[in-house]
Amino acid sequence: MNKPFNNKAWFFVLPVFVLVAISAIIPLMTVVNYSVQDTFGNNVFYWAGTEWFKEVLHSSRFHDALGRNLLFSAIILAIEIPLGICIALTLPKKGFWVPVCLILMALPLLIPWNVVGTIWQVFGRADIGLLGNTLMRLGMDYNYATNVFDAWATIVVMDVWHWTSLVVLLCYAGLVSIPEAYYQAARIDGASKWKVFKYIQLPKIKRVLLIAVLLRFMDSFMIYTEPFVLTGGGPGNSTTFLSIDLVKTAIGQFDLGPAAAMSLIYFLIVLLLSWVFYTVMENYGAEKQDPRVEQD
Amino acid sequence: MNLSWMAWTKPTALFFLTIIALLIFMALWEAVKPGGGPRVGILRFETTRGDRLFLSLLGSAFIHLAWLGLIGSNLWWAFGVSLFYAVFVFNFV
């Protein structure tokens, strides 16, 4: 059957295109232009060719920051995705407690990034912070400003506190959309909770889980404000992620050329990893799925 | 309108004009042969012409970066490898 096409619909896309052009495409073009030039300000530029790209690609500072970013994203995904699914599974599906739980879950998401950093900065202080002081009284030598492990642990726990709710809410939306008939059929078959999760819930929330993984990966890979406020990239450079290093290069040192080259490489890595995640999750299980049972 | 803050150069302008020309060419291709030409290639999942263009451009960017980082500054060789790579992607992916 031929579908009717109405090309006038493209006009509705135009405002979004203009918005994206102003907010993303034009800045990206400018960054590409900056990446092959050097400047000392006043809109005066000198051609540098591929010099900045070579400099960044051979820089151990860039390699270290990239390694930290990859490690951080891996830790965040390994904790937040399973934890988010577990919490979503335990949330009530109907009744008085549903809105209460959802609002409680959504609260951390409403707090701005810099405020989250400040909250945890105070929270972790040994002299006045509840967490820092409690750990000190328990005999633990906790100090996120001087100890690398403590700094990393605080940033990871802070991110988990801030963003697991997003995974929970997305998974919950997927779970409540599963028709009751699936559960009835599973009960008739005597399926265990694990089997219900494996064969009904997990496949049905696959799509929203894909969005959750992508969002959390991209967000964690581009993390800036929280660690910047909490540790400022320290102790030493131990929590200097790519974004923090980028801002140091661009604004701190005013090396706009190298910063532009670095941000383009950073952008390409994000694009590649996002595509890999999306493709793997989009196609995972597609071959195993029987088209006769695909009803929704 | 003064666009001097965008710091345009001839090579970067040429680069973006090439990308725009590719997108226009893809749109015309789609108008002539609608549907995106989906097929399952060596990656064992379905790709359309748009996917193949995306893979070609992304792969080419990494080929150029790898060439710069590992071999040297003469990027014409990297450009040649990228062309071969794009032809390969459009034929087999």
Side-chain angles (χ1 to χ4, degrees), chain A residues 120 122-126 128-136 142 154 157:
Chain A
W120 280 81
V122 176
F123 189 47
R125 278 178 60 166
I128 55 167
L130 184 64
L131 174 73
N133 198 265
T134 309
L135 290 175
M136 197 187 71
Y142 167 82
T154 312
V157 173

Side-chain angles (χ1 to χ4, degrees), chain A residues 69-82:
Chain A
N69 255 107
L70 289 169
L71 178 65
F72 180 72
S73 291
I75 293 171
I76 288 303
L77 287 181
I79 296 173
E80 288 182 12
I81 299 298

